Structure formats: C-alpha cells, structure tokens
Amino acid sequence: MIDTMSYTAKDLETDQDVRWCPSCGDFAILKQVQTVIPKFKIPRENIVFISGIGCSSRFPYYMNTYGMHSIHGRGAAIATGLKVARPELSVWMVTGDGDSLSIGGNHFIHLLRRNPDINVLLFNNQIYGLTKGQYSPTSELHKVTKSTPFGSVDHPFNPLALALGADATFIARTMDKEAKHLQQMIERSHVHKGTSMLEIYQNCNIFNDNAFDELSARNTRKAKAIFVEHGQPLIFGQEDELGIKLDGHKPMVVSLKDVSTDDLWVHDENDLMKAQILVRFFAYKPGMPELPRVFGVLYQEERSTYEQDVTQQLAEVIGAKGKGKLNDLLKGQEFWTV
Amino acid sequence: MIDTMSYTAKDLETDQDVRWCPSCGDFAILKQVQTVIPKFKIPRENIVFISGIGCSSRFPYYMNTYGMHSIHGRGAAIATGLKVARPELSVWMVTGDGDSLSIGGNHFIHLLRRNPDINVLLFNNQIYGLTKGQYSPTSELHKVTKSTPFGSVDHPFNPLALALGADATFIARTMDKEAKHLQQMIERSHVHKGTSMLEIYQNCNIFNDNAFDELSARNTRKAKAIFVEHGQPLIFGQEDELGIKLDGHKPMVVSLKDVSTDDLWVHDENDLMKAQILVRFFAYKPGMPELPRVFGVLYQEERSTYEQDVTQQLAEVIGAKGKGKLNDLLKGQEFWTV
Amino acid sequence: MKTEIKDHVVIKFAGDSGDGMQLTGNQFTNNSALFGNDIATFPDFPAEIRAPAGTLAGVSGFQLHFGSTEIDTPGDFCDVLVAMNVAALKLNSRYLKPNGLIIVDVSGFDSKNMKLAKVAAEQNPLTDGSLSNYSLKIFDFSKLTHECLKESGLTGKSIDRSKNMFVLGFVYWLYHRDLTSTISYITERFAKDELLLNANIATLKAGYAFGETTESMTERYEVAPAKLAQGQYRNMMGNQATALGLVAASVKSGLSLFYGSYPITPASDILHDLSKQKHFGVKTFQAEDEIAAVCSAIGASFGGALGVTGTSGPGLALKSEAISLAVSLELPLVVIDVQRAGPSTGMPTKTEQSDLLIAMYGRHGEAPLPVLAAKSPSDCFDTVFEACRIALQHMTPVIFLSDGYIANGSEPWQFPSEENLPTINVKFAEKKETPFYPYQRDENLVRNWAIPGTAGLEHRIGGIEKEDLTGNISYDPANHEKMVKIRAAKVKKIEEDIPEIALEFGDENDDILLLGWGSSYGAIRSAVKQLRADGFKVAQAHLRYINPMPKNTEQLLRKFKKVIVPEKNNGQLVKLIREQFLIDAISYTKVQGLPFTQYDIVQQVKNLH
Amino acid sequence: MKTEIKDHVVIKFAGDSGDGMQLTGNQFTNNSALFGNDIATFPDFPAEIRAPAGTLAGVSGFQLHFGSTEIDTPGDFCDVLVAMNVAALKLNSRYLKPNGLIIVDVSGFDSKNMKLAKVAAEQNPLTDGSLSNYSLKIFDFSKLTHECLKESGLTGKSIDRSKNMFVLGFVYWLYHRDLTSTISYITERFAKDELLLNANIATLKAGYAFGETTESMTERYEVAPAKLAQGQYRNMMGNQATALGLVAASVKSGLSLFYGSYPITPASDILHDLSKQKHFGVKTFQAEDEIAAVCSAIGASFGGALGVTGTSGPGLALKSEAISLAVSLELPLVVIDVQRAGPSTGMPTKTEQSDLLIAMYGRHGEAPLPVLAAKSPSDCFDTVFEACRIALQHMTPVIFLSDGYIANGSEPWQFPSEENLPTINVKFAEKKETPFYPYQRDENLVRNWAIPGTAGLEHRIGGIEKEDLTGNISYDPANHEKMVKIRAAKVKKIEEDIPEIALEFGDENDDILLLGWGSSYGAIRSAVKQLRADGFKVAQAHLRYINPMPKNTEQLLRKFKKVIVPEKNNGQLVKLIREQFLIDAISYTKVQGLPFTQYDIVQQVKNLH
Ligand SMILES: Cc1ncc(C[n+]2csc(CCOP(=O)(O)OP(=O)(O)O)c2C)c(N)n1
Ligand SMILES: Cc1ncc(C[n+]2csc(CCOP(=O)(O)OP(=O)(O)O)c2C)c(N)n1
Ligand code: SF4
Ligand code: SF4
Ligand SMILES: [Mg+2]
Ligand SMILES: [Mg+2]
C-alpha cells in the first residue's frame, strides 16, 4: 500500500486530452490540485472526484484517481451517498456556480448542513460556460448575456453567505490566479473534517473574461482583495496602509496612519458572528463602507461529520443488539409451524 | 369592483370540510389569515394562494380565493411564474418545513434572492405531518421518528439564517398560538414589497406535540421568547427583568438591575449585520449565552421586486423599439421574393 | 349454542379512524394466521391523518379473508361487517353478502354521528328497515366497555379507546378463538403503563365473556386451519417483505445495503423498516428529495454497496434523469416503486398499477432496464431479492414494482432460512497484469465493477457517451450506435438468466388466457378457479419479469384463442404484449384506486362469451 | 474560363473551431438563399467550447446543400470540401463524392498540425497520393490573407482571423456570386471597429480577385435559382422558427407569452431568441432548474398566459412530475423538447429522436397528452404554433418535439404574414348566473379556464384527484375512473381537430410505405424520390401528430404491403404503430447522433428486396 501513497503530480494526470479553452482558469486549478494532493499522502486509490456537469465538471477526467462525471447539479448527492457508504475514502466534489447554486442548490445546502467530510471545489466564473454564456446565479445584476440581452434582473447569490446560512462548517475563498493561496486553501479543505466549501474565482476567458481582474491585477489587487489569516489583523491596501476595525458590529475601513494595528479586527476563523460580517464584505450594500473582497478561510467550526455519526450509530446498535442474524429477522417474533 | 373588496373572514371560508386533525395548529393560522386579509382591501378575486404538498399545503382549499394545491416543494416556482405573469395579483404561498426546506429548498432560496412580491407562510412543525411523522430538515438533532428509530443524525437548518443567507428582504417569525402577533406578522408580510418570509411555529399535535411549548407556556414563554419591535430595546424575562446588549459584535444577556434600558440593543429591522446575529439566537451555540428565540420582523430591506424589474424592462424595450409588429418579426432582416 | 363450520370467512372491521380498527384487524389477522388459517387482508384508511371524527371521510376499514381453504384475495363481499358508527355502516353495507352479519356499536349512531355522516334522522339504517336482508346485531359496546372499566382508574377518553378490545374479544368468542396472541401483544405494547395494560386485557376478556352471556347471538362459527405446505409461517405485509428481501440480498451478496429514500405514501414503511436494521449494517439515508435519494444510492453503488432507492409514482418521475445516468454508467441500482393512484398527487392512499409504462420508457434517450413486479405481499420478498440479484450480476439499474394494495396487505408467508436462499455472487474487479478497462464485458455483456480503494484500477465513468472498453468520452457515431445496442442487448440477455413463464392454472388446451402482472394475481387466480368450476376453459399466467419477458412468453400466449390482460390502470401491459408479439390481446381495466375483485374478472370473462 | 451549370451542389466548410467555418457557412447559406437557391444546411460543431486547436476534436464543419432543384437534405456526400487543416481533411474526406473538389489551406498542414491531428509525417494526405481520386487544390490562404492585410494595421492574430473571409470570397468567385450580402453583414457586425470592418471587406474582395487571377482553377460553376413557389422567403433555422412560432401564437391568441427555461444544448437558442422579443411582451424566465422552469410556466398558465417551457432530454425527464400535474390540472402548457443523443448526458451536440417514448409515457399514473413533432427547420414554426393552439383550445399540456438536427439546420422559408395565420380563439370563463364549475366541460371535454382577477369565479385546483365538475378533492372510486377516462378521451378527441394524414409521395398502389416522424422527413423524401426513379413502388407518409394520430392513420397504413419506420433511435414510433394497429411495421434505425442520409434509406429499402 505504501507505494500508492508516494506519487507525484505527474502521476495524477490521465491520458485524456484536457478539453478546456486555451487559457481557461480551470487549467490553473487542475495544476494546483495535482500539485498539492500528493503531499497529503492519501493512497491514490482512495481518492474520488465527483462532479456534475459544466466545464469545471470535466475535472474528474483529468485526475488519475477514481472519478465520476455525473449529471447536472447532483454531484453533492452522489458524493454524500459514496461518503456514507465508504467513509474511509477521500471524496472531492468539483462543481460550477450553475451546477451547485442553480440546479444543484438544494443538494448543496443540504450537503453543508449534514456536513459529511467532502471537499467542495466550487469554480465560480459567474457564468454558464459549457452552455456558452448565459448568466448564472452569481452573475452580477444587469449582466448582458445570451439569455439576458437587456441585462439580467436577478439579484445574485453571495455563495459564502448562502453557505453560512446553511450552517457550513468551513467556508473559504481563493482564486485561480493565486497559485500559492490556492494550494493552501486546497490543503485546508483537505484537513478540515466536515464539508469544506472552497469558492474559487475562476476566469472564463471566453464568456466572462476579466470578471475578477481587479482582484488580481497588480495595481488594484491589494486594495480590492484582503487575505485573512487566523490570528492576524485585517490589513490591506496597495501599500498595506489600510486596516479594518469593528465599530461595535459594524466594520469600518481605517488608515493605519490613524489607527494602530493592535486596534484592528483580528481574524478569528472560529467566530461565527464575525464570519457573518466577513461574508458580507462582498455586498457593498448601500450604507456600508466599500470593503475589500475576503480571501482565505472565513470560518471553520468543529462539528462531527455525517458519516461519523452514521457509523457510530450503527456501531452502537450493534453493540446493544449484537450483529443482526438473518434467520432471526426472517422468522420475526410471531411465527407458527404447520 | 368595490364590493369584492369589502368582505369578511366568513366570506373567505369555502364549502370544503377542513381536514386537519382536531387541535392542529393549522386551524389557528387559517383563522388568523381569514381574519386579517379582509382588512387589506384587496379585491378577493385578486388573491391567490399557492401551496405544495403537506398538511399545511391543504390550506388553499379552505380559502375562498383563487388557489392551487400543487406538487411537493414546487409552490415557490409556480408562484413566481404566476406573479411574473400577473404582477397585480396578491400571491401567497403556503408551505411546510418539508415542502420548502427539504424537497423545495432550491426554489425557496431562489425565490428569496429574486424577491418577487410573494408572501410566504412557512408552517414549521419540525416534522413531516402528512406522511405520518418522519423527521424534517428543521427537526432537532437526535430526534426519534419513524424514519430515525435511533435518533436523527442530521444537523437541522435554521430557516431564517438560511433565508438571510439567500439574501431575503424580509424575514419574520411568529407562532400559531400567538393570535395577535400572528395577525400583525401577516399584515407586515402583506405590506412588505418583495418576498416576505414568515416562519410560523405550528404545533403538530399528532406527530410532534408540544414542540414549541416552552415558547408559549405561561411559565416559560417570557424567558424563552423575545418579541422584537423596530426601535425598541430587547427586553425579555418572566418579569421583563432581562435585556440583551451587544458587546461589540457579541450579544449578551444582562439584568435590567445592572444595565439601563438605554444601553440595550435597540432593534433595527434594517440592519443586516444585527439581523445576522439575531437569527443565530436560535442556535445556542457552545460559547454563546443562552438567548431567547426571537419573534417579530427580524429584518426588512427595500429592494425592487423581481416582477417590477421584469415589467420595467419590457416597458423600456417597448419604449425604445416600439411595440413589436409580428409581420416585421416574421419577415426578419434578410428576405427575398420569388 | 350452535357452531357452524365455515370454509372461509370475510370480515370487515370498520369505524372511525379514532376507533382503532386497523389494530383490531391486525390482531384478528395475526390470531388467524397463528391459528393456521390461510389469509389475505386489505386495510383501507383515509387519506387524512385524522379526518374529522364521525364523517364519511374519517372511516377506516380493515378487511380480512381467512379460511381453511386457499385464500387468494381479501374477498369481494363480506360475511361479517363490524361497524362502529353510522358512517362506517353507510360506506360498507353495500359490500355485504346477502344475509350477512352486521355487528354495530349503537353508540356510533347517535344524532351527532348521524349528522356527521350526513344521514337524515328518518333514515337511520338501524331502524328504517333498509338492512332487513341482513342479520343485524346491535350492541352498546361503548357502555359495555365503560362498565367493565369503571373502576380502572382510567379517564373516560382512555376508556373509549379500549372499546376496540371489547369488540375484538367478542369476535374472538364468535370464532372460538384463543386470546393469547393478543394478550401478549397488549403486554408488550403497554409494558410501561400497567393501568392501560390491565384495562386492555380486562376489556378483551370482557368482550369474550359478553359473547358467552349475551342472548342476541344464536350461532358461533369455526374456520379450521388451512392445509398449507409444511413449514414455518408468519404473517407478512408487502412493504415489510420488501425491506426483508433487501436485507436478505445484502446478506447473501455480502454487500452492505444503502437505502436512499424520501418519504412518500405508500412507500415510506420500507424506509421505516430498514432504519430499524442498523445491526445488519444497513445505512438508511432520508434524502432531501427523490433526486438526492436516487443519486445517493448511485454514489453508494459506485462505492461497492448495494444501492437501493424507494418511492412511489411522483418520486419515480423525479428520479428519471438519474436512473438514465445509472443506465449509462452501468452500475447496479434497485429502484422500488410502490405504485399509487395517479396522475400527479392522485390518490396517495389508493392502489393502482399505472407506473408500468413510465418504468419501461420514462427515461430520455435509449435507456432500457429490467422491470420486475411482485404479485402478493410475501412475493415482494422474492421479487425484490431477485431484482437485487439481477442488478448486481448484470450491472444495471432494475425497477421493482409493488403497489399500495400489496404493500399494506398481508398474507401468511412460509419464510425461508438464510441457508435456503441463493447466494448472490458478486465479484469486484481486481488488479491484473493486463490493462484494466472499466467497460470490458463478460459473455453476458456485463462490465467490470471496480470500486474505489482498489489500487491500480483508478478510472473515471460518466453520463456522456463512452467509448466501449475504456469508458473514455467518445462522440464517435459508430461507437454510440454500438453502445446503444450493447446496453439493449445486455438487458435482453437477462432472459437467459430467468425462469420461463408457466401456467399458474389450466393448460394449453384452454381457450382463454388471463395474463396478469403485479398485485392482481390473487384476484385473477380466484376468478380463474371460479370460472373453471363454472365450466369455462380459462387459464392463468402471470409475469414477474416484465422486461425482459421470459423467452417463451410469445409461444405460451399463442396457444390461446384469446389473451385477456386485466390491469389496474388504463391498459399498459397490454400495450407491451401487442407491440412485442402482435397478439390482439384484450385489455380489461379497473382504475378506481381499488384492487380487482374476483367478481370483476369473472364477469368480464363471462361477458366475452 | 469554363463555367459549368449544376443542378445542386453540396459544399462543406471544415476547419478548426477557431477558423470561423460556421460564419463562413452561414454567409454562403444566406447568399445562396437570397440568390434564390433551395437549401438545406447541417452545422456540426465540437462538443467542447474551444477544443484544442488543430485536433480532430476541434474540427468544426458546416455543410450546405444548395440547388436550383428541390433540396431535402444537406446531402450525403460533398461535391466540394474546403479544409482549413489536416484534421478537418482527415475527418471529412470520406464524405466526398468521387472526383470531388478539395480546397485546402496548406498552412493548416504543417508539422504541428499534423501532430495535433495524429497524422504521421509520411502520411500527409496532400502528398501521399491518397487523394488521387479527387481534384485537389492547394492554396496558402494564410499567406495570401497576410499579404492582403499587411498594411491594415491589424495584429497577426487578427489577420489570421480574417482568413475565412478570403476563403469565402474565393468560393463566391467559384460560384459566380455577388458579395453584397456579406459586405452588409460585415458592415453591421464591425460598425464600431473601422479597422476590422475594412480589413474584412478587403480580404473578402481579395479572395474573389484571387479567383480571377489564379491559374490553378480551370472551371467555375453556376447553380441557378430554384423554382420555389411565389412569395417572400427567408432562411430559417429550427430553434429560430420555434421561437417565432411561439411569438406568433402569442399574438394570434392575444395571450402574453411566458417562457420558463433552463439553458441546455441544443434548446438554449430558443431562450436566447425569445429574450430578445420583450417588445412583444414576451417574458422569459431563466429558472434555477428545469423543474422550476416548467412550474413557473404552469403558474403563468394558471394566471392566463401562454405558458411554455423548453428543454432537451435530461430536462424533459426532470419535468415529468410537473407535467403530470398539468395533465391533472388541465391547464394549457407547451413543453418543447429539442432532442439530443442520450441516454443521460449522452452526446449533447448530436442529434437523435429518442425521446418519443418518454414524451408519450414518461409520467407516473395515467397521464396522456398530445405529442407533435416538427419535420424540418421551418416546420418548427407551424408545428409549435399548432402545439400552442391545441394546448390553449383543449386545455392540456402538449409536448412539441424537435431535435438538434433541425434546431441548428436551416432552409428557405416562405414566411406567412400575420393576417394569414389563423386566429387562436381562447375564451376565459366569465361570471354567469349559474354556479361556476372549474371542471365543467364543453363538447370536446374541455374544461373552463377561469383566471385570477375574475370576480365570482374564485376556485381551487390541485394535483389530487378531483371531483368532476367541482374540482373538489375526491377519493371516490367511480369518480377516479371517470376522470381517468375523461382525460384520455379528451386527448383522443383532438383527432377530430387535426387534419388527416395524406401521402407525401406516391399513391396507395405502391407496395411499401415509409412512415416517418420528425426530422427524418427530408432524408426519407429524397430517398423516396430516388427509389421511385429507380423503379421501386415506394410511398412516403409523415406524422406530425403522434398523439393522437390522425384518424385515418391505420386505414392508410393498411393499404401497403410493408410499412417501414425509419427513426434515429432504437425503434420508438414503430412500437406505437405495432401496438395501436397490430401492423407488423418494420423498424429501420440509425443511432449515431447523425441525421439519416438519403443513401441510408435507399439502401435499406433495396436490401428488403
Ligand atoms: C439537467 C440538465 N440541465 C441543463 C444542462 C445543461 N448545462 C450543462 S452545464 C450547465 C451550466 C454550466 O455552468 P456552471 O455550472 O457554472 O459550469 P461552468 O461551465 O461555468 O464551469 C448547463 C445549464 C444539463 N446538462 N443537464
Ligand atoms: C414528489 C413527492 N415526494 C414525496 C411526497 C410525500 N410527501 C407529501 S407531504 C410530505 C412532507 C410533509 O411535510 P411538511 O412539508 O413539513 O408539511 P406538513 O405535513 O408537516 O404540514 C411528503 C414527504 C410527495 N407528495 N411528493
Ligand atoms: S467556456 Fe469558459 S469556463 Fe468553459 S472551458 Fe472555456 S474558458 Fe473555461
Ligand atoms: S398530522 Fe400534524 S400537522 Fe398534520 S393535520 Fe395532523 S396535527 Fe396537523
Ligand atoms: Mg460557471
Ligand atoms: Mg412539517
């Protein structure tokens, strides 16, 4: 078994041609996943990638592990069944913003509340890629797409707020272009026991190019994005000159000229109330200061996993009743003989 | 038309026998809905009740308005289509915790984000009534039911937290036994323009009797429940002796002996950050003080409604292009004559 | 007092939902079964959880047919009707045999009950002479029970609830029955409440004693044990048998059972039953909806478990897309459909056989799969076991059809022992020197099943058309055609692995064949018996395997001048027969949410002549 | 130079997805249409959004058949193949007629392209002699374009993108075509970018001029306008026609159109097209999934709109449960299924006709509904219009079947004027003195449609079985049977409201009838023409109405010795024919994700002899 645990990124490649558009953000994600997984020392045969349908959902075909490219939106339900049946497997779910938040929305929220130990990689490109460019539930309001030639009128989901509302135990955000951070977040997802919901901003250069540019462009990224770390104060700005402070329950942007780092909001991954505020940095609601988009692990909580509880209940019942005997079951309590 | 606007509760009854179990909480809700709706002065023929399937979903049959008892979980989608097609109607959706949060979860969250002006009455009895007593997505952990003889292992949803995560513009909670409050909340739901999500705790005396007893019993209700009102401080306790204060972003219970009412948390319906804390009073998370369950309008936000935006877009396009002429459309831009 | 010996008796207990008639019926059923009668039951309860007391909608009934002869159906008409209130009598008197015995509880005939049942005061059936063709016995069971329990310390309401035990005791007396089985039941049920325990036993005995002393009765009856084959028996309901069959298939295949389901009438009891079997390693998953239910089972199956999902019509419709995925993946999966009256929500508590065509064709694209149907409550065990076997050994989703009638009905079941059940051989693929191909097939066209955790067999499968052998995505036109044909041929080949169809009754010289499927078995069987006794040359055949049909089906059908297909739908199997064999089969249907009666079918055949 | 007059020509433009072959094909198509040719097109693009450049998977093709004669199909074999790289040539040369003309861009045959197309260096088709049976013309279009645009100020990459205009110009020259239509297109498309506008026009003209000057070509061709019926024409694709048909039905019924849909290949373009028609009051709703899509349409329908939902196979499966609700509610609803190759995800960009049986039977319970299918791109207009009419006038959901082939294919369409289209009369119920019953029916068994907002007609409907007339919930057995029969009879009665089926070709003295449905119309038609020319006594009939079938269908079928049913599935319509008429119809199938060719069908019939 040992040898199946020492493999390289290369060993995780399959013989299938990768069929994404040249320069698609999906390539970068695939690469980082293949790079970081060997470090976990999971026997390769114990790894399973489950996906739905979408460009992103082609992912399993490119991973030389077990995998299933299933149907649109249902990856979460399939992965849950698999994980409950085989708790020892390392189960990964790859999905898109349409796959998980549109058609798969119900399974998605139920996955999060149940909390099986599944690592969700949600490729959010804010568009339907595979069906050639309709708006998705994360597309911004007024977006002009094939199905909304006059602009969409649908208020978009805030995926991490939705996840938190569904009592997720782990929510994090990263970006295709941030190789290192992406690796770290994949690792954190793996380490977290319970459903890890990792939102990955992914550029669809064909139908929604540059959607996240200001979050990655050199001249804006440090002002528009903030990378949080547990125990560290919230600092950002092109020159690291800004910080975020909590005024009661209200976040405010302060200049580090005026405010000492000691008075800044210190990130606490385990604080649900703070996480609920952090996820809303997204919204730029009227009346809220303009806040940077948050990257990193926004929230993490220990909660027993679904498959643990299922397994434990089985063990308890067997402990109490003994292992079932088929003949007893067939016979039942009231039988007679002719 | 005037006469169809002056009708009484009695006029809203139908000739159908009400088929709920004697003493079911549904009766009380039906009664309050019939009592309060005539006050709104909506022409009766403009009122439509749409439901899914469940005990609660029988509701439309007992309302002498237009109504549809549809299929399990799909009321939200049907109501959305109806409201978009006919924005002038007053559309009500009646649903159960299984109907809207289990099978109908996806439509439910999409309804909330889109925000059509639909009033949702969610009868939460924390059980599947109609199918005779399985646990529901709001049933407490470890609940013993027909389908969980050894206790459920599913972490339940917090319906209002989920709704807020889905960017609901109106969330409120009330109870079958609180006639007056129920009436007020129905009225507030009606007045709110956008999707009003009203969670109604409802006793299922057959399969989940007394689930909300401590929230309504004389000797516990004032300590366990808190009724919030916009602009009013958060006070509760059997003798109104307790208050809630915000310590930064953390709620804490204080004695009014020690703390002046002026220092208490004053309820602000329009404060999303506060609402996010309020919905979590529910969870009694470890590390949080034991907090009372919140009743009233927890959050309300102005956002244009989906059908408004749809209608306006149509008007704009017609304004710009003129009303469509079928002959032009049939002919197209490139045609030739033989 | 005279005792008459009867071959078989149909008794119906009917009352308000609150009167405990299901319990009473079940107790009498168990007692008869233990006594050795052959039996068939038909519980019939209202759609409402608790319909308003006293109303017609609130009537709950339990019909039992028990005998010393072979019993095929719960009976068309009753010998005895126990009616606890006027509504129950009003709804059921039409099903009574001429001169039948009616036992009524007069306390259910007061003016309040009359009003609730919408019976005008002057039309009180107890007094208006309308029941003069029957033997009418009127008692005040309510008063009698109260008298018996007046010192019990119970509240009036609790005493009312014991009334059914009085009635049961009385009927036990009427049929010379022993009280032991019911006393043990009471003892277990009320183990924690001595007051109720004692009260119920006292009432039961009082009812029996009342029989001994009352002067209104002039006759008692006896129904001897039936001549069943030697062996051990128990009383078995369809859903219960289905759950047992699944556990048995799990044990005999050595795979753990995963049951993903979303509650729905009348299938929920399978979920309930299985959730009690955790000591068999059974994992039950109450999913958020039917789509998640079937998908979770597919996930479990991919992981090497016996993945099963169960539902009724509306749920089957929702599962269509995912079942099509399972067809494409070629993974084992058992889909249980306990049919109910449709379309849409239909009549959830009523039975029907109208999901056959959706089972056959309700998937987009060419997505054939095996379909099996059970013919009786206990046959659910064998048929679902067989469905599991086929799914596992042929790597295919299988639809197993049951229906509300057999799901809730019961009959004596000569249960097998673990040792007598066939082993279901399942072999997962193992690492070999040759390259591994997930879609390599054996002589039955069955592909390799390689499960995660097996080093060296890592592979990907999916719902896009796949290349033969490798399973890689392929858009090649010829490959697609090949795969479509292979998937069809694989299902067709199952006919080599199932028994031929044989006549249940009659022989090939008869004129007419009654060809049935599913739960109409018993009614057809009893009708054929009667028709043959009446001199008609009628035979019976029954299809458990509907897709593929047994190899010799056409051959058998062609032997007869006429083939009649009775179905509780608007004509579905008949379409398959006509299409496949171009035989001008005649459809005989009943779409009332009710099972066929023997009379229904007998009349139909006689009308043909 | 010599100019040869041709009756009809099949040309295929094939290249990498990035080469703009769809655009080129579309331009040539429009040009031919405007010129007056009859045409049929078959675009064939890769499943991937942007498959890796140069690979076989990345090849995108557009086939056009244009002629001065009647054109039924895009053609089995090509007269001309334009191949922009080696992959395109490799995949398509087999579809070339002997002596066919191959025009290649040699820049797509360098070593890199050879490797990507998996062609060994020594097997370069341009040099290895394998194309000796064809007329091979090799040009360096890339270099020629660069030369033409070297002063244009465009980047090299942009210049590469104009290459297809050079090719188009060249082919225009080859067929003596006018450039005007394409110049207007370019002018509109690049209105905002003068640089590109000028470059594209320059390249187009350069391509034409190159034809004039090159010495490699020895012949030019001309295809005269076709003798189409007098009138106004435009080029029309199937999805486009479907969208138009819906808008037309909305205008002609006076109801506003609500289209609820979830994107899916190949149906999405209907959503895209309709979302542009807001000035017709069209409301498009991109739902969260297919279930919400159909349910939103049901909601809109309940409100008095023309509720329509559109999808492909996987989505149709998901909509099953809700369609069953619409059957039970008896509300108008049009469900569009643009079929693609299944099962499961199948081959989304490939065509198939394999959803007929799910359309017929894919609902739980007895849930019959009308099914219509379009036979060609422009016929989508008439057929979906008719589907709307039936839905509205018969208060029923209707399934309209199209498929990927006609959805994306195109043909000239003699479009109607608003005045010539029939009015769809719809009358909502109004308050009368008599009590209002939502399930009161007219002579066609069609119920009242009363919409919210109408005072005095307040009522409730639902998916539970309803009492006839009142619509109240009813569990009455006889009522259920009655309602099941009524719903079936209502659909059956539609046969009174549709035209009889007539022969498309041939007469009743012929031996063989080719009976088709849906998009195989053109191929069957062309095959029948050829077969008849070859002396075979073959006729053609085609079903637009599949449920119910025209009243005289059986009668017509019985006139022939043999009935052959060609279908792009594994045999589905043939099942209905066999079952309904007990006619031993012969199934001829092709399940390759491709349309039938004329040759396919001709061979099949000849093999029968
Ligand atoms: C049941 C069903 N409905 C619709 C589709 C069509 N479809 C495929 S992928 C997709 C959405 C893709 O968007 P997303 O999930 O964001 O993935 P992306 O392509 O952007 O990575 C849709 C609508 C389908 N395959 N199945
Ligand atoms: C598709 C489908 N699945 C399952 C059911 C069965 N079913 C009916 S109501 C219900 C749940 C009822 O619970 P809830 O929504 O909480 O309503 P309540 O009865 O408690 O008011 C279920 C599972 C159904 N009717 N349709
Ligand atoms: S369409 Fe967009 S998301 Fe899909 S592969 Fe291309 S670039 Fe990537
Ligand atoms: S089962 Fe419960 S929720 Fe349903 S009607 Fe009875 S008491 Fe009410
Ligand atoms: Mg996306
Ligand atoms: Mg409930």
Side-chain angles (χ1 to χ4, degrees), chain D residues 581-603:
Chain D
F581 309 128
L582 293 179
I583 287 176
D584 193 4
I586 300 166
S587 176
Y588 170 47
T589 68
K590 174 172 182 178
V591 209
Q592 305 184 353
L594 291 172
F596 278 113
T597 61
Q598 173 181 332
Y599 177 85
D600 286 334
I601 295 171
V602 167
Q603 277 317 104

Side-chain angles (χ1 to χ4, degrees), chain D residues 93-94 96-102 130-136:
Chain D
S93 57
R94 71 186 101 159
L96 212 69
K97 290 186 189 159
N99 302 319
L101 173 63
I102 307 181
S130 59
L131 301 177
S132 56
N133 287 333
Y134 306 106
S135 161
L136 179 64

Side-chain angles (χ1 to χ4, degrees), chain A residues 18-22 53 58 70-72 74 98 102-103 128-130 132 134-135 146-147 149-150 206-207, chain D residues 45 48-52 57 118 262-265 268 271-272 275-276 278 284 286-290 318 344-345:
Chain A
V18 181
R19 291 281 169 81
W20 289 309
C21 309
I53 297 283
R58 284 289 180 102
S70 76
I71 43 177
H72 197 32
R74 316 303 173 189
S102 198
I103 191 167
Y128 288 177
L130 191 70
K132 307 198 175 175
Q134 301 82 10
Y135 74 118
K146 281 213 184 118
S147 56
F150 304 103
I206 301 296
F207 297 112
Chain D
F45 27 77
E48 283 73 28
I49 309 299
R50 294 282 182 279
K118 302 194 171 157
Y262 185 69
I264 187 166
T265 306
S268 307
L271 172 64
H272 305 160
S275 63
K276 291 179 201 143
K278 300 216 184 303
T284 53
Q286 181 175 313
E288 57 271 25
D289 60 20
E290 284 86 354
L318 287 168
S344 194
T345 308

